[in-house]
Amino acid sequence: MGAASSFLFSLLGIGSPPATFITFTSYWGFSNQLQELKVAANWARYTGRTLVLPRWAHSRDPQSLEPETCTSLNHLCEPLARLVDVPRLREFIDVEIAQEHHAQNDSKFVVEFGVDFRTKENRMKYLVRWMSDEPGMLVQDSYFRTKSTPPGAPPMWCHSGLLVSPYRCMRSAHELSRRTETTIHFPRFSTFQVGKLWSGNAGRRAELNAAVDGFVRPSRSVFRIADRVLAELELMRRGYDAIHVRRGDFLNTSWARVGDLSDRGKALFDAVSNGPAFASSKASRVIVFVATDDEEYIEREGRERLKAAGYRHVVTWPKRFHNSVSPLSRSLAEQLICARARMFAAQKGSTWSTYVEMLRSRPELLQDARGRDDDL
C-alpha cells in the first residue's frame, strides 16, 4: 500500500489496512533473476501488494551456488538493492528489502504447481499461463478443475486451472488477487516463465508484462563502473559497436545457436558500415567491444575472427577491473556498455542479451542515475 493511500486513510480517521506482500526466491543466472524480479513486480502491482526484494543476488556458479550460502564475504553474491535502481522501482510499486522485512510469523500462501521445476526438462515441457481476463472471458470464475491428466504427468498438476493441452495450463490470476494471507510466496523455479501474467488479448499481455521494463534498471553505482570502463577504453570518444559472445553451456545447447563468430562479426560490421554513422567515422577507429563468458577464447581466436570481419580494434573488459569489480556488478556494467553501443549483436537464446536489447529500446533507462540517493 502506497504512502498516498496511508495519508488518505489518516485523513478519514480510520486505520490503514494491514500491509500485504509478494515474496519470491530467485535462482540461476543473474539475468534470469532480473526477469524473475520483473514477474514478481508485475504481480505486486496487479494484486496491490508490496514487493519484498530478496536480500542477495547470486552469480551463476559451476557449483550451483545457493542464495542461502550468500554472505558479505562471498564475492559471488551481492545485495540486490545495490545492483538495481530501487528508488526508480518504487515509482512503480511499493518495495521493501528482505533484511528489513518482518513478516516471518504472518500467514503465507505458497504458489504450487505440483511439478518439479528443478529439472530443465520439466521447465521446458510444462507451460502455465496466469490469465488476467475479466469474468466471462476465456478462463475465469467458471474455470474448472480438469479430471484428465496426461500420461506420466503429476496428478492434478494444473490444480484448479484449465488444462488446455497435456502440458499447458491456464490458471486464473484472480486466484492470487483474492488471497487473504499476509504474504504470497513464489518459491524457486515458480516465477520466470511459469509465473507470467497473461491475457487472451495481445495488447493487454504487453501492458501486463512490459510496463515494468521502464522501472528495472542498474543502480547508480553500476552506472559509475560502466562510465569508468568506457573512459578507460576511450569508447565514448571514439565510438564503438558491441557483441555478446556466450559460450559455456550454450555450446552444448541445441536451441541456443551460438553461431560462428566470424559470421556474426561480419554481419554486425556490414550492418554498421552500411549505416549513416559509418561514413563520418574514420576506418582506423572501427572498434567492437566483446562481452563474453570466455575471454580465453576471444584471446585465442575470437579477436582475429572479428578483425577478419572488418574491425580494426577488438576490446574486452579491462584486466585491471577484474579483481576490483564483483562478477554481478561487472555483468550489469557490461550490459550498460553494450546498450550504449552504436550497434549491438545479441546472442540468440540469452536472457543477458534480451535485457541489453530492452535497455536499448528505452533510452530513458540509459540516462545515468546521478542525483539519486544510494541510501535505501
Side-chain angles (χ1 to χ4, degrees):
M1 182 179 63
S5 299
S6 299
F7 179 68
L8 177 61
F9 278 110
S10 66
L11 286 179
L12 295 174
I14 58 177
S16 300
T20 55
F21 307 94
I22 291 284
T23 62
F24 69 102
T25 302
S26 57
Y27 77 101
W28 216 219
F30 183 53
S31 292
N32 283 20
Q33 294 170 54
L34 286 178
Q35 295 276 38
E36 292 179 298
L37 170 60
K38 290 182 181 182
V39 169
N42 284 331
W43 272 110
R45 187 175 179 89
Y46 182 81
T47 59
R49 290 171 174 260
T50 295
L51 176 64
V52 179
L53 287 183
R55 180 174 183 182
W56 297 102
H58 51 96
S59 296
R60 180 175 184 155
D61 183 78
Q63 270 111 45
S64 300
L65 176 71
E66 299 289 345
E68 290 80 3
T69 68
C70 288
T71 69
S72 58
L73 300 178
N74 190 335
H75 77 286
L76 294 175
C77 301
E78 194 160 354
L80 179 59
R82 189 186 298 164
L83 296 169
V84 299
D85 187 346
V86 176
R88 187 175 184 91
L89 183 58
R90 282 181 170 143
E91 296 173 13
F92 184 69
I93 51 170
D94 289 338
V95 176
E96 287 191 9
I97 313 300
Q99 64 264 38
E100 301 169 352
H101 184 61
H102 304 287
Q104 295 88 341
N105 297 323
D106 292 333
S107 56
K108 178 187 291 188
F109 175 76
V110 179
V111 178
E112 297 286 357
F113 296 98
V115 174
D116 184 1
F117 283 120
R118 290 176 298 176
T119 68
K120 183 177 181 179
E121 179 184 1
N122 283 345
R123 292 200 297 274
M124 300 293 286
K125 179 187 296 185
Y126 292 91
L127 174 66
V128 180
R129 287 177 171 169
W130 292 90
M131 306 304 295
S132 63
D133 301 296
E134 294 304 314
M137 293 182 64
L138 200 55
V139 181
Q140 264 334 284
D141 293 341
S142 61
Y143 72 97
F144 58 90
R145 178 186 293 270
T146 180
K147 295 181 180 179
S148 61
T149 302
M156 309 306 290
W157 77 271
C158 195
H159 288 262
S160 52
L162 174 65
L163 194 66
V164 294
S165 68
Y167 298 100
R168 299 292 182 267
C169 172
M170 290 184 177
R171 289 176 71 171
S172 171
H174 299 291
E175 178 185 333
L176 298 190
S177 62
R178 291 171 178 165
R179 301 304 309 189
T180 59
E181 291 85 353
T182 302
T183 300
I184 294 176
H185 177 66
F186 287 88
R188 190 171 300 140
F189 305 109
S190 63
T191 50
F192 200 44
Q193 294 297 338
V194 297
K196 284 186 177 179
L197 284 161
W198 203 258
S199 171
N201 178 278
R204 175 65 173 155
R205 282 201 301 273
E207 178 185 333
L208 286 167
N209 291 296
V212 69
D213 285 348
F215 299 91
V216 176
R217 74 171 186 176
S219 67
R220 184 183 182 189
S221 62
V222 172
F223 270 90
R224 288 170 174 165
I225 294 169
D227 286 343
R228 281 164 44 208
V229 172
L230 287 167
E232 172 88 2
L233 299 174
E234 299 184 350
L235 293 182
M236 295 305 288
R237 180 177 67 83
R238 299 191 291 175
Y240 67 100
D241 306 317
I243 186 170
H244 179 205
V245 180
R246 176 166 169 179
R247 289 168 60 80
D249 61 320
F250 268 36
L251 292 174
N252 300 314
T253 304
S254 59
W255 53 262
R257 300 185 213 171
V258 170
D260 183 81
L261 184 56
S262 299
D263 294 339
R264 294 184 62 208
K266 186 67 165 61
L268 177 63
F269 181 81
D270 288 347
V272 174
S273 60
N274 291 326
F278 187 80
S280 61
S281 67
K282 294 182 179 179
S284 62
R285 291 185 175 180
V286 180
I287 306 168
V288 63
F289 174 84
V290 183
T292 183
D293 63 341
D294 192 346
E295 290 177 291
E296 290 184 4
Y297 165 74
I298 299 301
E299 292 300 321
R300 186 174 66 251
E301 60 181 274
R303 187 181 301 277
E304 291 308 313
R305 286 174 179 255
L306 289 169
K307 285 186 175 181
Y311 284 101
R312 299 293 184 89
H313 304 285
V314 179
V315 297
T316 57
W317 188 259
K319 284 186 169 53
R320 79 180 190 89
F321 286 89
H322 279 197
N323 295 325
S324 61
V325 177
S326 75
L328 294 174
S329 290
R330 170 181 170 172
S331 177
L332 270 177
E334 285 193 292
Q335 286 174 312
L336 279 176
I337 292 170
C338 290
R340 289 170 164 176
R342 178 172 49 187
M343 294 197 74
F344 171 64
Q347 178 71 69
K348 289 184 179 179
S350 167
T351 53
W352 195 98
S353 281
T354 298
Y355 186 69
V356 172
E357 292 178 315
M358 187 279 292
L359 288 173
R360 291 176 65 84
S361 71
R362 290 177 174 263
E364 73 275 11
L365 295 181
L366 296 178
Q367 312 220 342
D368 196 339
R370 290 188 181 93
R372 285 188 173 275
D373 189 354
D374 282 341
D375 296 328
L376 301 173

